[in-house]
Amino acid sequence: MNKDELKSMLSAVADGSLSVDEAVTRIKLTPYDDIDIAKIDTHRGVRQGAEEVIYGEGKTADQIIKIVNHMLENSAKSVLITRVSQEKAEEVAKCVKLQYDSVSRIAIAGDYIPKKEKGNIVIATGGTSDIPVAEEAAQTAEYYGNNVKRLYDVGVSGVHRLLDNAEVLAGAKVVIAVAGMEGALASVVGGMVDCPVIAVPTSVGYGASFGGLSALLSMLNSCASGVSVVNIDNGFGAGYLASMINSR
Amino acid sequence: MNKDELKSMLSAVADGSLSVDEAVTRIKLTPYDDIDIAKIDTHRGVRQGAEEVIYGEGKTADQIIKIVNHMLENSAKSVLITRVSQEKAEEVAKCVKLQYDSVSRIAIAGDYIPKKEKGNIVIATGGTSDIPVAEEAAQTAEYYGNNVKRLYDVGVSGVHRLLDNAEVLAGAKVVIAVAGMEGALASVVGGMVDCPVIAVPTSVGYGASFGGLSALLSMLNSCASGVSVVNIDNGFGAGYLASMINSR
Amino acid sequence: MNKDELKSMLSAVADGSLSVDEAVTRIKLTPYDDIDIAKIDTHRGVRQGAEEVIYGEGKTADQIIKIVNHMLENSAKSVLITRVSQEKAEEVAKCVKLQYDSVSRIAIAGDYIPKKEKGNIVIATGGTSDIPVAEEAAQTAEYYGNNVKRLYDVGVSGVHRLLDNAEVLAGAKVVIAVAGMEGALASVVGGMVDCPVIAVPTSVGYGASFGGLSALLSMLNSCASGVSVVNIDNGFGAGYLASMINSR
Amino acid sequence: MNKDELKSMLSAVADGSLSVDEAVTRIKLTPYDDIDIAKIDTHRGVRQGAEEVIYGEGKTADQIIKIVNHMLENSAKSVLITRVSQEKAEEVAKCVKLQYDSVSRIAIAGDYIPKKEKGNIVIATGGTSDIPVAEEAAQTAEYYGNNVKRLYDVGVSGVHRLLDNAEVLAGAKVVIAVAGMEGALASVVGGMVDCPVIAVPTSVGYGASFGGLSALLSMLNSCASGVSVVNIDNGFGAGYLASMINSR
Amino acid sequence: MNKDELKSMLSAVADGSLSVDEAVTRIKLTPYDDIDIAKIDTHRGVRQGAEEVIYGEGKTADQIIKIVNHMLENSAKSVLITRVSQEKAEEVAKCVKLQYDSVSRIAIAGDYIPKKEKGNIVIATGGTSDIPVAEEAAQTAEYYGNNVKRLYDVGVSGVHRLLDNAEVLAGAKVVIAVAGMEGALASVVGGMVDCPVIAVPTSVGYGASFGGLSALLSMLNSCASGVSVVNIDNGFGAGYLASMINSR
Amino acid sequence: MNKDELKSMLSAVADGSLSVDEAVTRIKLTPYDDIDIAKIDTHRGVRQGAEEVIYGEGKTADQIIKIVNHMLENSAKSVLITRVSQEKAEEVAKCVKLQYDSVSRIAIAGDYIPKKEKGNIVIATGGTSDIPVAEEAAQTAEYYGNNVKRLYDVGVSGVHRLLDNAEVLAGAKVVIAVAGMEGALASVVGGMVDCPVIAVPTSVGYGASFGGLSALLSMLNSCASGVSVVNIDNGFGAGYLASMINSR
Amino acid sequence: MNKDELKSMLSAVADGSLSVDEAVTRIKLTPYDDIDIAKIDTHRGVRQGAEEVIYGEGKTADQIIKIVNHMLENSAKSVLITRVSQEKAEEVAKCVKLQYDSVSRIAIAGDYIPKKEKGNIVIATGGTSDIPVAEEAAQTAEYYGNNVKRLYDVGVSGVHRLLDNAEVLAGAKVVIAVAGMEGALASVVGGMVDCPVIAVPTSVGYGASFGGLSALLSMLNSCASGVSVVNIDNGFGAGYLASMINSR
Amino acid sequence: MNKDELKSMLSAVADGSLSVDEAVTRIKLTPYDDIDIAKIDTHRGVRQGAEEVIYGEGKTADQIIKIVNHMLENSAKSVLITRVSQEKAEEVAKCVKLQYDSVSRIAIAGDYIPKKEKGNIVIATGGTSDIPVAEEAAQTAEYYGNNVKRLYDVGVSGVHRLLDNAEVLAGAKVVIAVAGMEGALASVVGGMVDCPVIAVPTSVGYGASFGGLSALLSMLNSCASGVSVVNIDNGFGAGYLASMINSR
């Protein structure tokens, strides 16, 4: 609420056209529901264009059920839950209508019919082991209505596999480059396309990969323009951001 | 060039409607000019939508002059040069028409009339010391025709300064959050807006800021969705990416 | 014992009003009980205002029982034991009267009736996963007679949740800010209050959170004044220190 | 402003006892002055009990003069400026009435008569080289009206020097322990006193001290209760926090 | 395909001696087989002199079987699979003819009769615990037809064991030095021989070995000439490279 | 063998008083036994004053049995084996006469009657959890005939416990200081004694102790003279070195 | 000297055909000249196939002159000196015949006519700023008689520049890949060639390149086979090793 | 002072044979002189067998002069000052009789005639650049009356230089191994001798030596027994400890 809006609202209070209680409600900036174990941001759909997402890793099945039910009972039609293990998903599914994908570990509660209409997001991986992170990105992007093209196992040590798919890349509005080990995929892709590249370092590797640090540093130092980086293994973050950019 | 295009071009060679030499030229994928000290990517404007940019830090004034002149003599109307010291800029300016800004250390060679027409990019900084990096981002974005709003010194330890500018943030199509020390600006901004946030950690700070590492890690771990990160002090990268997203 | 006290005590020995044995005892500065597996600091209650606390992590149930019993048999009315697993607590409870809380993993041996009288300590967390560390702080502070207000899941990516509780924060004599990932909570809270803020980084997070390092660095670099930091996940340390400050 | 206050204020608007303009001003939460190069937090004195402090390191003499003058012309009687080099201080002193101390690099603008009335803060250092950081803490604390006792060069490798001053420590309401190298001072002091200990790691040392990292980690891992840590070399932060605690 | 070849091929198309389809196939640079879970590089044998190798760690038995069968059904006579656990090997062996070695965790699918004809590769280890990594190198080198001499447990703290084998080392065309802990083996060996030394740091050790980091840094800093380093525990990489050098 | 000895030996060959074969044997500097899985240094007793010790961690029970038996069958009267788990010890004990201590995880094969005659080695620990590492040091030192005094749980946060044992420390010829967390014990002890102090950092701790890194850095930066450091948790190394120094 | 040679030499002593003094000289394994400031390895040419090289960085002009003159006066025809600044080179050139190259900072003392006959070594760099390190490698390789092809500024963000030079790479017997920032060049090149690739990380970059650490980790984690790594900026090491491999 | 001594002293007070004042003096454990800028430990000669040493790095010439004069005026005959630059030494020499060595940067104030009588300390370095650190160790040891043998430039990449000096090493009572880069010297020496080895990592090196970290880790992980480590470049610490051990 800006100064002018505030002034006109207060004038409405002054001239009696707005009740004090109504004004109080309007002024209290952004409400949320406090359900003891969490403060659910119910206006996030309005403020940020997307309902709150549940990060499943640190939560019990019970906690997830409680939060999901609260959200479904209120405004939400469906709820995206990330990082859910098979076991936890099965437990949650006893109480909540749930779709679950064991590769991406993404669960979707409620009635959900993805549209996948928005322009192309291309998701490329360096190897086969990066697929789970890539799928977290892909299914997140699809949940938000994006059309996703998968380009897996196109790592830079066989650069012809990338070049052979230059057309697919050229058709992208955003590219997500998912790679562990040396993480060079982001730079090579970044040099081939004319759109934003979201780099996702993965913890795939051993020894001096130091849990994804090598790929992370590599991607941050990319000499290609238009590349930015999210946290190690953060497929959700990349998919969500790609959807945001795709909607511009 | 895709398979079908290739096939039809080869058919043209077969039926004589295209000469062999012409075909050779077309097939040689992406040309560049080799001027001894550098291989200048002359088709980048076509392939990536923006001419090659010169990173001035590791180059002598002579090298910059040579590259700039080559580019201006060929297709480029103007050339963006980043990380140029005052001294180097003065030397280059003896041989090349140059605009120079000493805060951002950005130089622009050639005839350049920025349009600044594309929708809003908001650039926020945590403090006063982050301004040089922010200006590198701002002037890069302006070079590529974007409208930029500056919101400097709105660090999270006085969060009302940010909230007071909620409207400015709400009007952004992309936000660039520039901060050193604890780098928390990106997360708070990320929670306030409905658009991509590009986080730029800076090397501003001392002690356990470890040259920007603290801000970098903080930004990578942001719990706000829609945030991605570029290298420490990489104002150019953020400005360029913001322009890309703003053009979507 | 200072020089003057020493002189007057020795004069008492010289004039026979104090026996040699008594003097020996008084001079031996700070006694402790050596029970083989540990040297229990029996005068700590006098010297530091609080009995020694048992750090349960590296100790067996047997060792804990031995130390607790020794303390209860001597001066202590109750003993605080931190970092006790459910299993260990159950084993100890067979031999010692014990209250146990499985979230904070705190056990209290002996007869304990917390007073919770001293002015307000507010404990805020960034998310739901930070609650166990926050509870270790909260229950420690309550054990020492402090009144604790909990403000959980108020992370900076939804800064309105914090602002909505500005009053609660304003009423605090000390605030404990508990957060993992980017750890920005401490800075935002630090800018909102006029009292000491104790920042507790947690190991909550993944990837580039590096086991709490990101939050730790972020908190150490806080640009808000009045913020200090304890070890990663050190809820006890924060609760104890908050109690000390609250008693000033 | 809380809900009830808001309601009663709005009622005052509704019944005409408060003008709309006045209400607008009251609602705009926390104002600040925007002087182009900085957003000066003019209500900080009210909100946090102390005027804004200028961190001098990243600012030019000109910038400091501008900010100081703006503050003095408004509410402030004096302004604390930290990390000011001798040269910069001399330049600032041409335009602003300034007291300067070259050891602590602290400058105070305006008319300032420290009271030094509040109870004891003891500041101890491990060695002679830690004195500049200690003095930054000491003079900050004195600026805010605290009585400071200095205990320099009492490092733990000659622990009798500490013990010999046990009385001084016992009389403290807060202790600031300043040490580089192995940073053990905080733990030993922490075990001797019954009050909060603020540990300040310094960058004093060489080799494996890694710019203060060794002392920092050592202090964070202190096995003594009541110890918290600020950033490497952050004397100001320690002095400010000590003053806050001393005022409880 | 170089420019001249391209020209002459296009001329062949122009004069009809080459069909358009044939030309398309030739131009498509480097083909691969896309079998859904992986893009198998079928021309690698031609391009790089060795068939693609399967890194078994991140793959299920099913995935390995699918890839191996595809390769055997096409050009490959045998397939090298590294980092295969005993259990996975047994599962794969149900569907594929397999030789397995549990020390090196190397599996070889298909009909394989190693020749071991090429000149000497000497593989030395610092201790007994480094043998698994050394065997991965040794059996990789043997797979590619090299003659391998093993020199195990010749660490530098008993340097006479190395000197006593000076002759064996002198006969080498390449030496692979495998060591954990302080990793000094590479330097001492490097000073004794007149051939390339490939250093393999291992994760053997504890405490400040930090998972092989100590050995890695030590080897990178080797003051002996002719030493280069591969990733921690990367026996395969060392064996493959040694074979390449041995074939020069 | 020095030049003069070599000359006189060669003269003996020249005049026939020494056979060629005998000379060959003498010249071959330091022999060892190659038992396939290891190269046992049989002359180490002569060269270094102590038989080779078996580091049990990376070895199977079978390997240990083989090496021990070979050593006992040759010159050794007993063999020290470190880092042996209870299970492995029981398996070895089926084939070899073995004494085993489960705290230090030290096993001694063969007939062993420790003398414990050599002057005092004092072993101090910061806490109870450091005892296993301290016992590895203590029992190693006792194995080599030293008299060991244990001073456990005397950490610096209760410095009176150390001072109360000043006499014990004063009587030491070497002190071993074992501590995790902040590792300050070494510095305080180092300032109290007039003999070498061997500092052993332990991995005891959590959070920012980073597996012993904090204690390690702290000890390396000790401002007390006469302190040196061994690897994290390296009780054996400290005990062995202390014995060496004690024998001077 | 091996056992058989030793035996036959001793037999020669026994039968008088070899004098004792002569034998002593022969047995003294590898001689060196001790010129006070250094122990020059005069037999290295024999043992390792190349004379000792002087690392100029830590040495004064005087020390270099002394060592060079000693070497030239004895067996050496020319001496390679690395890391020599312009100033130091000029000082040395007053006393020694010297060729100096200011880009590579390589100096060659004595009469030197490089042959450059041995098969191709290709040296590629990611950017222009990597050229000094590349030239150190190139001129080292040329000094040892190798034919070197330079391929500068072919970084992976414009991968067509590399592909366009596929033929040059295909003709290499060894490739040296020199790159800073993300260091991805090594992986891409490694996937294109059938020969050893020596990766040289450079300290070129800023922010999260951490002085070459990013490129170093990236190269160590290369998913291409046949890649090994030398120290950051170690052009000499790469050039020397390439020459060794090229001579196989 | 132990309990019995205390008792008998107090009895003496009781029976009048000891005055109260005398008793006070005796009880005050360890005195020091407080000269404002430092607390000089005047009894250290008694307690630790060596006068306090001045670490010159962080001190001004004035401060050094003040401390030295105070010490010389009291008990000390001479004072050892380490890390003194040429310039500072010259300034100090104006007021104090001073011997100065510019390689080791050691200054000795007062009348000093080193005896160099105690048994052999051998100091070995890996290279020429390690000599300044080695000389700090050597001259410290000589100051305390030890006989020192220097063995410089015997790095492990030319291991025959070490073996050739095996006799010198064999005659040592303590060895100090000084090395940068890979720091392997300590391990090789440790395996050759039967006495304590003090390892001193140096900051000599570049790239991945990370200011001595590589050598430090290498030495801490030494597989040779009897090796302990001091801080990077800490020649004084090694020399002092060696002297302590040599005096046992």
Side-chain angles (χ1 to χ4, degrees), chain H residues 115-128:
Chain H
K115 289 159 289 186
K116 304 182 190 173
E117 285 167 347
K118 287 190 275 178
N120 282 335
I121 294 173
V122 172
I123 303 185
T125 74
T128 301

Side-chain angles (χ1 to χ4, degrees), chain H:
Chain H
M1 192 180 298
N2 64 32
K3 231 181 184 172
D4 292 334
E5 289 169 342
L6 181 59
K7 210 165 179 175
S8 81
M9 193 199 70
L10 286 171
S11 301
V13 172
D15 66 19
S17 65
L18 186 75
S19 78
V20 165
D21 281 348
E22 182 76 356
V24 165
T25 303
R26 288 200 193 162
I27 288 172
K28 249 190 108 253
L29 273 166
T30 329
Y32 55 86
D33 291 356
D34 195 332
I35 64 157
D36 187 43
I37 54 164
K39 295 193 173 44
I40 304 168
D41 192 339
T42 49
H43 278 220
R44 205 173 163 241
V46 178
R47 198 176 77 252
Q48 294 215 313
E51 293 296 330
E52 191 154 17
V53 169
I54 302 174
Y55 177 69
E57 193 123 316
K59 301 201 180 64
T60 62
D62 270 5
Q63 289 179 316
I64 293 173
I65 292 165
K66 234 179 264 178
I67 299 175
V68 164
N69 278 337
H70 184 95
M71 288 173 74
L72 293 178
E73 281 157 15
N74 287 272
S75 58
K77 293 237 170 78
S78 67
V79 180
L80 185 68
I81 319 165
T82 64
R83 308 270 170 115
V84 187
S85 67
Q86 180 89 42
E87 295 70 30
K88 213 182 274 181
E90 281 163 11
E91 242 182 293
V92 173
K94 291 173 188 162
C95 311
V96 175
K97 190 175 170 184
L98 204 76
Q99 303 169 54
Y100 179 69
D101 175 73
S102 65
V103 174
S104 63
R105 294 188 298 151
I106 278 185
I108 297 168
D111 293 304
Y112 166 73
I113 308 158
K115 289 159 289 186
K116 304 182 190 173
E117 285 167 347
K118 287 190 275 178
N120 282 335
I121 294 173
V122 172
I123 303 185
T125 74
T128 301
S129 312
D130 302 313
I131 290 178
V133 175
E135 279 301 310
E136 191 183 275
Q139 296 181 28
T140 296
E142 288 173 346
Y143 179 83
Y144 290 113
N146 299 277
N147 186 17
V148 172
K149 294 220 170 135
R150 287 150 173 92
L151 214 54
Y152 292 168
D153 196 22
V154 291
V156 301
S157 69
V159 82
H160 58 283
R161 295 178 299 192
L162 254 185
L163 297 173
D164 202 58
N165 288 288
E167 260 175 283
V168 177
L169 289 166
K173 285 197 67 181
V174 197
V175 177
I176 298 176
V178 183
M181 300 177 79
E182 87 272 66
L185 185 66
S187 290
V188 177
V189 166
M192 291 173 70
V193 298
D194 178 25
C195 70
V197 174
I198 304 169
V200 190
T202 71
S203 53
V204 168
Y206 64 93
S209 82
F210 295 124
L213 179 64
S214 169
L216 172 63
L217 291 181
S218 190
M219 286 166 165
L220 283 167
N221 283 286
S222 175
C223 47
S225 302
V227 177
S228 64
V229 186
V230 296
N231 197 359
I232 298 165
D233 291 336
N234 189 4
F236 165 74
Y240 184 88
L241 175 57
S243 176
M244 257 190 178
I245 296 174
N246 198 21
S247 312
R248 299 285 96 185

Side-chain angles (χ1 to χ4, degrees), chain E residues 101-151:
Chain E
D101 174 72
S102 64
V103 173
S104 64
R105 295 189 297 151
I106 278 186
I108 297 168
D111 291 305
Y112 167 73
I113 307 158
K115 289 161 289 188
K116 304 183 192 175
E117 285 167 347
K118 287 188 277 178
N120 281 335
I121 293 173
V122 172
I123 303 185
T125 75
T128 300
S129 313
D130 302 313
I131 290 178
V133 175
E135 279 300 312
E136 192 183 275
Q139 296 182 27
T140 295
E142 287 173 347
Y143 179 83
Y144 289 113
N146 299 278
N147 185 17
V148 172
K149 294 222 169 132
R150 286 150 173 92
L151 214 53

